Amino acid sequence: MIKKINAGFFLAILLMSFLILSTMSVRAQAQNYQPNIENIKIKIIDYLNQLRTLNKLKPLAEDDKAMLVAQKRAEYQSNSSLTHDGLREMLKEIKDPIYGTENLAWVHPSSYNSDDELAEAVIILWYVDEGVENKGHHKQMLNPLYDFTGVGIKKDNDGYFYISQVMFSDIDISPSKVTKETVDEINEFYNYFNSDKLNKSIPLK
């Protein structure tokens, strides 16, 4: 004789089955994810500009020279570590003298399910800047004086990505040409940032 099945028990079994299938689906998606490095570069720039727009700042334009230098910076990283050594000299390949900087990240794509998710995670990593006392990565992402950007990505033998994003300004900081107004504007930005008036939330989540 077929016994009557309790409705609550039946729903619980259905829910458990759904959760198991969902977990299997996510794992399969992660295993099947094949990162597209060029697409990730574009996504990183897009997410940075979302944050700048949120803070009423102009978006940064992608620059061909900056893309090449950022790639050189990514290739410069090695041994599971990140360094800004040699940055100033490499930035001069874009413009000399130059007012600019870079942010660096080291991630493995197996932790993500898509190019979009990976790029978003990198931007949030820099934006939160956990453990960085001066919030330098965050600060440079929101620098109103920057005009252009470029992103480079190197994949090592273990599949890890070394990511560099360079950002720079179109202003002329040659000693013979830089104006007091430019210097005041740069100082004003750092004072503004340190006043905690900028939006330091995580708007992408």
Side-chain angles (χ1 to χ4, degrees), residues 73-89:
R73 292 298 304 162
E75 298 287 344
Y76 189 77
Q77 312 304 316
S78 63
N79 300 322
S80 307
S81 63
L82 303 173
T83 178
H84 294 298
D85 290 352
L87 173 63
R88 302 313 303 176
E89 288 305 311

Side-chain angles (χ1 to χ4, degrees), residues 43-78:
K43 293 290 185 180
I44 287 174
I45 294 173
D46 286 346
Y47 277 124
L48 172 62
N49 283 333
Q50 283 187 38
L51 294 179
R52 290 180 64 87
T53 299
L54 181 78
N55 285 283
K56 299 180 174 57
L57 299 171
K58 64 178 180 257
L60 302 185
E62 181 182 325
D63 180 85
D64 290 342
K65 286 185 178 180
M67 294 295 283
L68 292 174
V69 168
Q71 187 60 40
K72 285 187 178 181
R73 292 298 304 162
E75 298 287 344
Y76 189 77
Q77 312 304 316
S78 63

Side-chain angles (χ1 to χ4, degrees), residues 29 44 53 64-65 87 107 111 133 143 146 159 172 196 199:
Q29 184 180 2
I44 287 174
T53 299
D64 290 342
K65 286 185 178 180
L87 173 63
V107 300
S111 300
E133 186 175 352
N143 191 325
Y146 290 151
D172 192 335
D196 291 329
N199 187 328

Side-chain angles (χ1 to χ4, degrees), residues 97-116:
I98 189 171
Y99 176 63
T101 192
E102 79 173 335
N103 283 342
L104 296 170
W106 181 64
V107 300
H108 199 288
S110 64
S111 300
Y112 309 98
N113 296 316
S114 67
D115 295 342
D116 197 79

Side-chain angles (χ1 to χ4, degrees), residues 3-197:
K3 295 182 180 180
K4 183 178 179 180
I5 299 176
N6 181 275
F9 176 76
F10 181 69
L11 287 174
I13 292 297
L14 279 179
L15 178 60
M16 186 180 298
S17 299
F18 174 76
L19 290 174
I20 291 172
L21 288 172
S22 296
T23 302
M24 291 173 62
S25 176
V26 169
R27 288 177 180 171
Q29 184 180 2
Q31 291 174 354
N32 293 330
Y33 167 50
Q34 297 297 323
N36 181 319
I37 286 179
E38 294 307 311
N39 188 45
I40 293 170
K41 293 178 184 179
I42 294 170
K43 293 290 185 180
I44 287 174
I45 294 173
D46 286 346
Y47 277 124
L48 172 62
N49 283 333
Q50 283 187 38
L51 294 179
R52 290 180 64 87
T53 299
L54 181 78
N55 285 283
K56 299 180 174 57
L57 299 171
K58 64 178 180 257
L60 302 185
E62 181 182 325
D63 180 85
D64 290 342
K65 286 185 178 180
M67 294 295 283
L68 292 174
V69 168
Q71 187 60 40
K72 285 187 178 181
R73 292 298 304 162
E75 298 287 344
Y76 189 77
Q77 312 304 316
S78 63
N79 300 322
S80 307
S81 63
L82 303 173
T83 178
H84 294 298
D85 290 352
L87 173 63
R88 302 313 303 176
E89 288 305 311
M90 288 192 190
L91 285 178
K92 288 179 182 179
E93 295 178 23
I94 302 172
K95 180 182 176 183
D96 187 16
I98 189 171
Y99 176 63
T101 192
E102 79 173 335
N103 283 342
L104 296 170
W106 181 64
V107 300
H108 199 288
S110 64
S111 300
Y112 309 98
N113 296 316
S114 67
D115 295 342
D116 197 79
E117 184 180 313
L118 191 157
E120 180 185 47
V122 169
I123 288 297
I124 290 175
L125 176 72
W126 288 330
Y127 200 66
V128 174
D129 232 0
E130 185 175 356
V132 181
E133 186 175 352
N134 69 354
K135 300 298 179 186
H137 303 93
H138 182 128
K139 185 182 298 183
Q140 300 306 344
M141 294 166 80
L142 300 180
N143 191 325
L145 302 178
Y146 290 151
D147 302 291
F148 304 101
T149 188
V151 176
I153 299 176
K154 165 191 170 181
K155 181 179 179 181
D156 71 11
N157 293 333
D158 294 320
Y160 281 90
F161 285 175
Y162 294 87
I163 302 174
S164 167
Q165 179 163 35
V166 300
M167 296 161 277
F168 69 98
S169 172
D170 199 33
I171 61 176
D172 192 335
I173 60 168
S174 302
S176 61
K177 296 182 180 180
V178 66
T179 64
K180 180 180 181 301
E181 287 73 22
T182 295
V183 174
D184 289 344
E185 194 174 1
I186 292 172
N187 289 331
E188 183 180 356
F189 161 65
Y190 289 107
N191 291 333
Y192 178 45
F193 181 90
N194 293 327
S195 71
D196 291 329
K197 292 181 180 178

